[in-house]
Amino acid sequence: MPKSKKIAQQVNLSDPQYYLNRELSWLEFNRRVLHEACDERTPLLERLKFLAIFGSNLDEFFMVRVAALKQQVEAKVSLLTPDGRTPQQQLDDISLSLRPVVTQQHHQFEQVLKPKLASHGIHILDYIQLTQKQRSYLDNYFNEQIFPVLTPLAVDPSHPFPYISNLSLNLAVVIKNPETEEEFFARVKVPKVLPRFLPLPPELGIHHDGEPANWTGVPLEQAIAHNLESLFPGMTIQEYHSFRITRDADLALEEDEADDLLLAIEQELRKRRFGGSSVRLEIQSQTPESVRSRLVQDLELAESDVYEVDGLLGLRDLMYFMALPLSELKDEPWQSVVHPRLQRIKEATVEPGVSGVEDGRDFFSVIRERDLLVHHPYQSFSTSVVRFITHAAHDPGVLAIKMTLYRTSGDSPIVNALIAAAENGKQVSVLVELKARFDEENNIYWARRLERVGVHVVYGLVGLKTHSKIVMVVRREHDRIMRYVHIGTGNYNPKTARLYTDFGLFSCREELGADVTDVFNFLTGYSRQKSYRQLLVAPVNMRDRFLALIHREIDNAQNKLSGRIVAKMNSLVDPQIIATLYEASRAGVQIDLIVRGVCCLRPGLKDISENIRIISIVGRFLEHSRIFYFHNNGEEEIYIGSADWMRRNLDRRVEVITPVQEPDIAKDLQEVLGIMMADNRQAWELQADGSYIQRHPGEDCPESHSQKILMSMALGSNSIA
């Protein structure tokens, strides 16, 4: 069939057959994380780290996504997903897809990694493997350090089944009164205030050729289990079994009914800590039916909510072993480099009335030369973003600093700089997003600390999360007011900036500064702003602008001009964007997408998405940056910012995407996209059925490892960014 007729053919692009399920796509992403733990090319302790990340990811998936689906089933929600599934069908499919992967995770640890760890002097032992001397040491440790912390809880008619906190590890204990032969059930919580793994002193550890092992010890719960007689004196311990519970941890917040958003969120956090229905029970596979059924009944779960495992529960705690000083079992250490244009800047003086530095150059003069792009973690976050804000806090010419904070670190130098700015008499306004999931408490703490020193703190907009990453510094220069802005793809968090790949653009372009000013007015005041000069701002104009950019490529292709789209993001879920990308593919637009996580678009469908290719890159650094490239018939446009192509980003969050106008920076970003699309070490190609196939170097195609290439370039020519 000629292409023109193929394009003209009417197709219902909202048909469920053209969409992948969001939840199942996320499980495929986590399967790729697990693969890093199974890949022998990954250093041994890094494999353990990925095993822990897989478990941590899964915990959050149950606390949020599965919990939401169970609520929908209970509420008899009949609305179908774009791929045509009901909530119950999704729960069934999640269970079917997930169980073999969980089995693979535990097999990998118990049968593969534990022996490999032992061969490198890391011995995670079972209590029954200990010698008498080792047992004596741990029994004494139990009596002195563990026993005082434990609280055994009986379960009988006078003692109702106790509340079991989210993600807690517990022992279900069956005991017998030797005089009456009556059996009782009790629960012992494994305390989180103690380390999950108990090391033996080197002299009691396993030795090889006269040298002590790197680490020898046992899991905490086993030390407790083998000393249960101390908790139930005079009783006979019949049996014990480990179990772990996961609860609904999402906040149910009625913002429009809350007089005080801060207080409302604090109240919801207490409910999260002490409430939330159970959504998953993890038990060891040898747990007898009597104990299993009791737990299922008392926790008000269904059999489908039970996950049996062979071996240790709660493998997220394996992250403990990353603290071992064994560099030969980890990735080569990476030290971020200073951007070449920032290497000429010396620390600004903080003396009152004195501005600039010894050679007359400061951060602002670098930005005035031309826009500056930094690429983390290849280039240092501390010597760029943190220095920019710290410099502004102490510069006498700076009048005001405005900033959005979504997630930041517990010992944030950025917040400390904002406090210093306020103490230096500058006007400081900060939007702290209290609804950043699982960072609410941290953000409440920083919000209150900022308020105490006179910072104007705003808590966000009703019904919207503020996810944008923007800073504006207002500075007086020679009787002129200049606005310096930073627009990023990642959070203002120095710790995650060493682990996540992100971009940040510094600029003092007038139109960009005016737009960022308007965004802050939208966030802090009353504004019905509907248009921006350059920025794409959600939920105002971003969806329409992205659709228009895609349609422009469609028009070019249909007019026999070149059409090309390349986009990198975390997730692609929005049905309208997906349908428009299908239109573009049918028109002949060539589309390459780099989507790290969830992707609901089916590539490679005949007459629908034949011109769309999608890869996912999972590796040492979490690919977090968002880049959007549109060919525009040779008048190329490229954008970066905080938003993915998801409904929540486009409609329910305040997001900011900025065009990149500096030609050299645009070329650098295109080069980054090209390097990633050529990756055949950590890239996975999405298939039309939703599965992924990992790329491998061929005989005539050497290994192309995007993250290593970018690290090498940062250390060498610094040509990128």
Side-chain angles (χ1 to χ4, degrees), residues 346-349 356-361:
K346 296 182 180 179
E347 294 300 325
T349 179
V357 292
E358 294 177 13
D359 62 358
R361 297 188 55 76

Side-chain angles (χ1 to χ4, degrees), residues 556-615:
N556 286 338
Q558 290 179 334
N559 290 317
K560 298 184 179 180
L561 303 173
S562 57
R564 180 93 168 98
I565 297 170
V566 183
K568 178 182 181 294
M569 66 200 80
N570 297 319
S571 300
L572 172 56
V573 175
D574 186 78
Q576 187 179 17
I577 293 285
I578 292 174
T580 310
L581 290 172
Y582 285 151
E583 288 182 41
S585 173
R586 299 182 78 230
V589 178
Q590 297 299 311
I591 303 171
D592 281 286
L593 304 175
I594 305 165
V595 185
R596 185 198 74 211
V598 176
C599 183
C600 296
L601 186 153
R602 289 185 183 268
L605 294 175
K606 183 176 176 56
D607 297 341
I608 300 294
S609 56
E610 291 171 298
N611 293 314
I612 302 178
R613 295 156 297 278
I614 302 175
I615 64 169

Side-chain angles (χ1 to χ4, degrees), residues 537-558:
V537 179
V540 182
N541 69 341
M542 185 178 291
R543 175 184 290 279
D544 290 342
R545 288 285 301 277
F546 269 133
L547 291 173
L549 290 168
I550 299 171
H551 276 292
R552 187 177 62 189
E553 299 300 317
I554 294 174
D555 292 342
N556 286 338
Q558 290 179 334

Side-chain angles (χ1 to χ4, degrees), residues 176-187:
K176 179 188 286 188
N177 186 327
E179 296 181 358
T180 65
E181 295 294 311
E182 186 178 3
E183 286 191 346
F184 299 94
F185 182 85
R187 171 256 188 165

Side-chain angles (χ1 to χ4, degrees), residues 59-114:
D59 287 343
E60 185 169 333
F61 179 74
F62 272 91
M63 288 189 288
V64 178
R65 304 303 304 175
V66 172
L69 288 171
K70 289 173 74 70
Q71 288 178 359
Q72 291 175 33
V73 170
E74 187 176 341
K76 296 182 171 54
V77 172
S78 58
L79 188 66
L80 300 181
T81 57
D83 62 295
R85 283 178 168 88
T86 65
Q88 186 59 56
Q89 286 174 327
Q90 291 180 84
L91 287 173
D92 294 342
D93 290 340
I94 287 169
S95 179
L96 186 65
S97 174
L98 183 56
R99 290 182 188 279
V101 186
V102 171
T103 298
Q104 180 187 3
Q105 177 203 20
H106 287 273
H107 176 270
Q108 182 68 18
F109 174 65
E110 298 290 343
Q111 304 302 321
V112 179
L113 293 185
K114 273 181 74 173

Side-chain angles (χ1 to χ4, degrees), residues 182-215:
E182 186 178 3
E183 286 191 346
F184 299 94
F185 182 85
R187 171 256 188 165
V188 178
K189 180 179 179 179
V190 178
K192 291 184 178 180
V193 294
L194 299 175
R196 172 70 190 281
F197 297 97
L198 302 179
L200 291 164
E203 63 271 16
L204 291 179
I206 293 176
H207 286 61
H208 180 70
D209 293 335
E211 294 294 324
N214 291 311
W215 190 93

Side-chain angles (χ1 to χ4, degrees), residues 392-634:
H394 297 288
D395 186 292
V398 170
L399 305 177
I401 302 174
K402 299 185 179 185
M403 184 174 190
T404 59
L405 279 178
Y406 188 72
R407 301 186 196 276
T408 190
S409 59
D411 54 348
S412 175
I414 289 176
V415 175
N416 290 333
L418 295 172
I419 291 171
E423 291 173 341
N424 288 337
K426 303 181 190 310
Q427 178 74 29
V428 182
S429 302
V430 180
L431 187 140
V432 178
E433 182 47 77
L434 298 182
K435 303 184 290 293
R437 184 180 288 134
F438 302 124
D439 266 346
E440 299 96 342
E441 288 181 274
N442 191 45
N443 287 359
I444 287 172
Y445 168 78
W446 286 121
R448 286 192 161 139
R449 187 172 170 193
L450 288 165
E451 283 183 322
R452 281 198 296 268
V453 297
V455 172
H456 181 68
V457 178
V458 179
Y459 297 136
L461 302 175
V462 173
L464 298 173
K465 278 187 182 181
T466 301
H467 189 249
S468 56
K469 328 293 183 183
I470 51 176
V471 179
M472 182 172 69
V473 172
V474 181
R475 189 171 189 258
R476 178 182 287 116
E477 298 175 2
H478 307 296
D479 297 325
R480 178 187 176 193
I481 297 297
M482 291 285 292
R483 288 177 286 202
Y484 296 86
V485 301
H486 172 271
I487 302 171
T489 68
N491 298 311
Y492 291 112
N493 187 323
K495 292 183 178 178
T496 57
R498 295 194 291 268
L499 304 172
Y500 296 4
T501 66
D502 274 304
F503 286 101
L505 180 71
F506 294 94
S507 178
C508 61
R509 294 177 184 267
E510 288 190 14
E511 288 192 331
L512 212 53
D515 270 355
V516 172
T517 299
D518 288 342
V519 172
F520 277 112
N521 290 340
F522 170 63
L523 292 171
T524 62
Y526 294 102
S527 170
R528 296 180 59 83
Q529 184 98 6
K530 294 299 182 183
S531 63
Y532 291 85
R533 302 158 189 82
Q534 295 184 350
L535 293 181
L536 283 62
V537 179
V540 182
N541 69 341
M542 185 178 291
R543 175 184 290 279
D544 290 342
R545 288 285 301 277
F546 269 133
L547 291 173
L549 290 168
I550 299 171
H551 276 292
R552 187 177 62 189
E553 299 300 317
I554 294 174
D555 292 342
N556 286 338
Q558 290 179 334
N559 290 317
K560 298 184 179 180
L561 303 173
S562 57
R564 180 93 168 98
I565 297 170
V566 183
K568 178 182 181 294
M569 66 200 80
N570 297 319
S571 300
L572 172 56
V573 175
D574 186 78
Q576 187 179 17
I577 293 285
I578 292 174
T580 310
L581 290 172
Y582 285 151
E583 288 182 41
S585 173
R586 299 182 78 230
V589 178
Q590 297 299 311
I591 303 171
D592 281 286
L593 304 175
I594 305 165
V595 185
R596 185 198 74 211
V598 176
C599 183
C600 296
L601 186 153
R602 289 185 183 268
L605 294 175
K606 183 176 176 56
D607 297 341
I608 300 294
S609 56
E610 291 171 298
N611 293 314
I612 302 178
R613 295 156 297 278
I614 302 175
I615 64 169
S616 169
I617 295 176
V618 177
R620 174 176 180 174
F621 302 128
L622 186 73
E623 290 295 337
H624 191 255
S625 58
R626 291 92 166 179
I627 313 172
F628 305 93
Y629 166 88
F630 301 91
H631 182 62
N632 191 26
N633 193 37

